[in-house]
Amino acid sequence: MYDVFSLPPVRFPEGFLWGSATAGHQIEGDNIHSQSWHNEQQPDFYKDDPERKIRAPSGKACDHYRLYREDVELIASLGHRGYRMSIEWSRIEPQEGRWDSEAVDHYLDLLERLVQRGIKVFVTLHHFTHPLWFDRMGAFGSTANFRYFERYLAFLVPKITPFVSGWNVFNEFNQWGGLTSGPGVAPLKFNMIRLHALGYHLIKQHSTAPVSSAHAFIHWFPRRFHDSLDRCMTGFADFTTNEFFFHALRTGELVYPNHDAEYDPDVKGALDFWAVNYYTRHMIDARFASLDGARFHHKELKMVPMPFYLEEMYPEGLIANLERLNDYPVYITENGCSADDDRFRIVYLALHLSALREAIDRGVDVRGYFYWSLMDNYEWTSFIPRFGLVGVDFQTFQRTPKPSALFYRQVIQENGFSGEQIKRHLDALPTLR
Ligand code: BGC
């Protein structure tokens, strides 16, 4: 394990925004009108885990929809100055064209409380979930459905604008369609980048806060470094999930393998900052149709939940990735690790914040960092992976800040950290097993 105690002291630029991130479906509970909730009720959901050892429905999640007032106080007590959260479209428009004013009031109250506590709120308008009725129509796969998303944004955005300091139209839309150039993939990618642009221009009519979409920035690398096909497919994975979006946003040119390129002037420059979600590196193995390379397995560190890929930390990837984004300001909208042993979280934080500082030294204009996640939550298919700074008892919904939350609070107070500071929160380095 890395010796974080001897890391050089790190300070961040003045005004750097420190916070944490969550997503509605993962914490609120009872998100019954969403497609995710519906899918979780189907027998098919358990086909890879018939004994239901890992997979579970979201149920009450963290019961945050009920406990949101307490959670605002929790966020404030941990010293967070920023908070990235998402709003559930399926609560606002549970049936097509029917707006739920109670849900609107709920989110307005939550936003207002956060702002009153001096917290800058970044809102994600679509974090993987949407209404079941919209899903049944084919969701974002069809351009005819763009109008529903547009109508939703036109309804919601003006109402919440006074409370929002930063916007994400989508979360991690760059991953959709996976790592292929098969039928339908390019059209979906083209739709998503156009919908992002549509959201961007709509928000700009109402808000002066910066707008982007959160990008899952995976650091791809070849399983066999000298194998030409592993290297070639690594380039392919990087292009289809990363460069496609960067290039489109920078130039307006939509370029995808095995597809005629298109030009869309609305896409060009449709961002005010790069929103980066970074976790680790992924290996590309061209010997598998899925391209999924084997990982290093550690029992205590569960970076990705299903089916329990147990990965390593790779802070260097953050530096390499950010160096590609030196033309707009950057916010890290997610970064974190899932570990039962909270000491890994302190190590992970120290290493990634050091890497972030290095990226800043290399000229990247990083303005803020949102740790994923504020609290343990529903990791899409399972409650087992624990990403939180705050532990949650999923029976009683009791919240308990972990030592990493106290370390992070001190990082925020001091706008940086030193090895000495880490020692105060970490008795000994954990060992990877
Ligand atoms: C997503 C989160 C998720 C996290 C950890 C990100 O891809 O935006 O919703 O919980 O990774 O897997």
Side-chain angles (χ1 to χ4, degrees):
M1 180 51 45
Y2 300 81
D3 175 11
V4 287
F5 299 132
S6 50
L7 283 172
V10 173
R11 287 282 163 273
F12 281 79
E14 218 176 295
F16 193 82
L17 183 63
W18 295 102
S20 59
T22 60
H25 188 73
Q26 295 180 264
I27 60 170
E28 288 179 353
D30 292 330
N31 190 21
I32 58 172
H33 299 293
S34 66
Q35 98 286 21
S36 294
W37 177 277
H38 174 80
N39 296 341
E40 291 157 17
Q41 315 309 316
Q42 308 312 310
D44 213 32
F45 182 72
Y46 299 96
K47 70 176 185 313
D48 297 330
D49 179 27
E51 289 170 42
R52 305 189 179 199
K53 286 199 174 132
I54 296 166
R55 291 174 92 89
S58 53
K60 294 256 167 234
C62 305
D63 208 8
H64 165 77
Y65 202 75
R66 184 173 64 88
L67 297 172
Y68 72 99
R69 297 176 194 85
E70 288 88 330
D71 286 337
V72 171
E73 296 312 306
L74 176 71
I75 296 167
S77 74
L78 295 176
H80 299 187
R81 295 181 184 143
Y83 180 57
R84 173 174 175 249
M85 55 167 269
S86 74
I87 290 182
E88 286 297 329
W89 178 7
S90 61
R91 289 188 190 274
I92 307 276
E93 193 181 2
Q95 274 88 43
E96 199 251 291
R98 190 177 75 70
W99 308 106
D100 185 331
S101 59
E102 270 179 40
V104 175
D105 290 346
H106 168 94
Y107 284 115
L108 287 175
D109 191 39
L110 166 59
L111 290 165
E112 192 173 357
R113 282 167 191 268
L114 287 162
V115 171
Q116 273 167 1
R117 287 312 229 131
I119 294 160
K120 290 202 160 57
V121 189
F122 277 45
V123 167
T124 308
L125 293 163
H126 185 281
H127 194 121
F128 298 157
T129 44
H130 47 242
L132 181 59
W133 62 261
F134 180 70
D135 203 64
R136 288 192 163 143
M137 284 180 175
F140 302 113
S142 156
T143 50
N145 292 342
F146 282 23
R147 64 196 165 106
Y148 298 109
F149 187 59
E150 185 173 14
R151 186 180 63 181
Y152 167 60
L153 297 192
F155 174 80
L156 181 72
V157 168
K159 294 183 176 52
I160 63 173
T161 287
F163 306 107
V164 180
S165 292
W167 301 87
N168 284 166
V169 182
F170 286 103
N171 181 62
E172 299 193 345
F173 66 146
N174 59 304
Q175 293 213 77
W176 299 1
L179 295 181
T180 76
S181 60
V185 175
L188 179 64
K189 302 257 182 193
F190 287 22
N191 281 1
M192 292 318 297
I193 195 84
R194 288 196 162 105
L195 279 156
H196 159 81
L198 180 155
Y200 175 85
H201 295 295
L202 190 147
I203 294 167
K204 297 307 272 185
Q205 289 170 25
H206 303 279
S207 169
T208 52
V211 187
S212 191
S213 277
H215 185 95
F217 207 160
I218 291 173
H219 185 87
W220 302 107
F221 77 109
R223 174 91 176 84
R224 299 163 199 82
F225 197 77
H226 298 290
D227 182 283
S228 57
L229 193 59
D230 277 2
R231 288 170 76 114
C232 170
M233 295 315 284
T234 299
F236 176 85
D238 184 70
F239 188 88
T240 55
T241 61
N242 295 326
E243 193 58 30
F244 167 80
F245 293 91
F246 305 154
H247 183 77
L249 289 167
R250 284 169 173 148
T251 65
E253 199 191 16
L254 280 51
V255 188
Y256 205 81
N258 306 115
H259 204 277
D260 291 340
E262 293 175 20
Y263 178 73
D264 188 333
D266 286 348
V267 172
K268 182 176 177 175
L271 81 162
D272 302 317
F273 67 100
W274 296 112
V276 172
N277 294 357
Y278 177 78
Y279 287 88
T280 186
R281 60 179 174 176
H282 289 217
M283 277 195 231
I284 292 290
D285 188 335
R287 303 297 189 272
F288 293 104
S290 64
L291 300 180
D292 234 339
R295 312 266 172 78
F296 301 112
H297 285 213
H298 304 298
K299 276 192 232 137
E300 288 88 353
L301 201 61
K302 308 183 190 72
M303 299 284 301
V304 176
M306 294 294 289
F308 281 105
Y309 286 132
L310 312 178
E311 298 179 49
E312 90 275 42
M313 305 188 190
Y314 192 61
E316 296 82 355
L318 187 58
I319 307 171
N321 288 353
L322 291 183
E323 275 199 306
R324 291 168 64 176
L325 302 179
N326 58 7
D327 50 352
Y328 286 89
V330 171
Y331 284 88
I332 306 300
T333 36
E334 284 181 34
N335 173 242
C337 78
S338 148
D340 294 345
D341 181 343
D342 185 57
R343 293 177 302 171
F344 284 112
R345 193 163 290 102
I346 297 181
V347 171
Y348 185 97
L349 264 165
L351 292 173
H352 286 79
L353 294 180
S354 296
L356 197 56
R357 179 65 241 191
E358 169 129 8
I360 295 171
D361 291 340
R362 294 190 192 185
V364 187
D365 180 11
V366 187
R367 305 262 175 103
Y369 175 90
F370 296 86
Y371 178 81
W372 183 273
S373 178
L374 168 67
M375 56 181 141
D376 290 342
N377 57 43
Y378 180 62
E379 179 53 31
W380 296 108
T381 49
S382 175
F383 281 101
I384 292 175
R386 302 291 162 105
F387 279 89
L389 293 165
V390 174
V392 174
D393 177 326
F394 291 107
Q395 307 301 317
T396 62
F397 304 111
Q398 167 95 25
R399 278 82 162 123
T400 311
K402 301 176 188 174
S404 57
L406 308 184
F407 168 64
Y408 189 49
R409 179 166 66 189
Q410 200 177 358
V411 171
I412 299 172
Q413 271 159 6
E414 318 235 329
N415 201 26
F417 63 88
S418 62
E420 278 309 304
Q421 216 170 302
I422 299 172
K423 269 192 198 137
R424 264 177 260 150
H425 300 272
L426 185 64
D427 49 359
L429 291 174
T431 325
L432 281 174
R433 278 187 287 138

